[in-house]
Amino acid sequence: MKKTIVCLSAYLMIVAVSFKPSTASEGNTAAATTGTSAPANEEAKVTDYISAVYKQIDFKGCNALSYEVFQKAYNGYLNLRDAGKLGADKDVITICDFSLASTEPRMWVIDLAQNKVLFNTYVAHGQGSGDVFATSFSNKMNSHQSSLGFYVTGDTYNGKHGLQLRLNGMDQGFNHDALDRGVVVHGSKYVSEQYVQANNKLGRSWGCPAVSNELAKPIIQNIKGGTCLFIYSKDEKYQQTAYWMNKKATNVPENMYAAVMAHNISKPKTITYQYMTNGKVDSVKQVIVAQ
């Protein structure tokens, strides 16, 4: 008789953990850009924490967000939470990676409580910022350019694009005039797969992070009311001087840190061996091994 061994592997599930840091007073821009920092061990702790959060996000079914961009976005998110700038009822972050072409789904809306990507979709940049790629940015009125940095979402209203969401720019010098400029999240017909296929690029706005008409309402409903929205680019000036992104986040409560890091530890793997004789299973053996 010929005996065959079939090996099957199963992994333990990672549990999502939310994070809600306490509120503290906001520092000044000079401190952030000149190097006032936490002790090295605290910086390493935050770095490990952000890495663990990223690893627990489920990117299945969508494009994976760059860790470098997520790290910068989440560091700013922690700083905004710590400064009391964000609402307490939603653990959601929206990240627009404008280093990518407009023909790619470059907006991620992430539920941090469930470590789940709610949306990964197209988002337009301003017509004054570039064609397929956004290369120029401005905070000036009538520039029709996108503005980089961190925003806190505000309230909604009905305008010429239907339901629209106000954005409060948090980066002085980069997007602080967003409200006065009318920079909002809204839907538009020039943001769609069909438009990309027909034009080899996405349509462009007057500076707003516009999304498709089909997704505008559900996206706005999920991110309205005090959540963090981050528009990223490799723009040198922003990279060097941005306050919220460059300030070292330090406030990671011990209980949340311990919970997240515990789920980041390599889990044991269970291997199941099925012993078969003449095509039929005659015995099963499970072995737990370290990864």
Side-chain angles (χ1 to χ4, degrees):
M1 292 186 296
K2 186 176 180 181
K3 181 170 287 191
T4 304
I5 301 176
V6 179
C7 176
L8 306 174
S9 297
Y11 293 84
L12 298 180
M13 297 292 289
I14 294 176
V15 180
V17 178
S18 63
F19 170 64
K20 294 186 178 180
S22 59
T23 299
S25 60
E26 176 184 342
N28 56 64
T29 304
T33 57
T34 58
T36 300
S37 60
N41 61 331
E42 287 298 321
E43 290 186 19
K45 183 177 180 179
V46 172
T47 299
D48 290 346
Y49 178 85
I50 295 175
S51 175
V53 171
Y54 176 81
K55 290 176 182 177
Q56 293 177 31
I57 297 172
D58 183 4
F59 288 107
K60 292 178 181 177
C62 67
N63 292 342
L65 172 65
S66 159
Y67 174 71
E68 177 186 0
V69 176
F70 177 81
Q71 186 275 329
K72 294 177 185 297
Y74 197 80
N75 185 82
Y77 163 84
L78 290 177
N79 285 324
L80 288 167
R81 286 296 299 266
D82 196 41
K85 302 294 185 181
L86 302 177
D89 59 335
K90 288 183 180 179
D91 280 328
V92 175
I93 186 170
T94 304
I95 302 172
C96 303
D97 184 357
F98 278 6
S99 70
L100 300 176
S102 66
T103 53
E104 298 185 47
R106 55 182 179 169
M107 171 189 273
W108 287 261
V109 179
I110 303 172
D111 184 330
L112 296 170
Q114 300 185 54
N115 293 331
K116 178 181 178 182
V117 178
L118 301 178
F119 304 95
N120 173 216
T121 188
Y122 296 112
V123 58
H125 58 254
Q127 61 183 219
S129 287
D131 197 21
V132 177
F133 285 90
T135 57
S136 300
F137 304 93
S138 176
N139 191 43
K140 294 181 180 179
M141 193 74 68
N142 299 320
S143 66
H144 293 179
Q145 293 185 12
S146 297
S147 299
L148 297 176
F150 287 89
Y151 298 80
V152 176
T153 62
D155 59 354
T156 62
Y157 67 100
N158 288 309
K160 65 178 181 179
H161 296 289
L163 185 66
Q164 301 181 185
L165 174 64
R166 292 187 174 91
L167 297 175
N168 301 283
M170 306 305 294
D171 274 304
Q172 187 69 28
F174 293 98
N175 65 9
H176 69 274
D177 280 335
L179 277 179
D180 290 340
R181 291 180 61 205
V183 175
V184 299
V185 177
H186 66 75
S188 181
K189 63 182 180 181
Y190 56 71
V191 182
S192 68
E193 178 69 29
Q194 292 74 19
Y195 192 98
V196 169
Q197 294 297 324
N199 299 277
N200 295 317
K201 65 180 180 181
L202 200 67
R204 296 165 298 163
S205 67
W206 282 11
C208 298
V211 296
S212 70
N213 282 325
E214 292 74 20
L215 292 180
K217 186 173 181 179
I219 287 175
I220 288 172
Q221 294 292 1
N222 274 278
I223 71 174
K224 68 180 181 180
T227 72
C228 175
L229 185 148
F230 179 52
I231 296 180
Y232 170 83
S233 168
K234 295 179 180 179
D235 179 82
E236 185 175 346
K237 182 179 179 182
Y238 183 77
Q239 292 285 331
Q240 292 178 352
T241 63
Y243 173 74
W244 300 104
M245 186 180 74
N246 290 322
K247 180 179 182 293
K248 298 296 184 182
T250 59
N251 192 356
V252 181
E254 288 297 329
N255 61 329
M256 291 299 168
Y257 175 83
V260 169
M261 297 309 293
H263 291 295
N264 190 51
I265 296 174
S266 182
K267 298 296 188 292
K269 180 172 65 175
T270 300
I271 298 180
T272 302
Y273 293 94
Q274 293 183 346
Y275 295 86
M276 305 181 69
T277 302
N278 295 331
K280 295 182 179 180
V281 177
D282 60 14
S283 63
V284 175
K285 181 179 181 181
Q286 289 188 331
V287 179
I288 298 177
V289 297
Q291 295 193 64

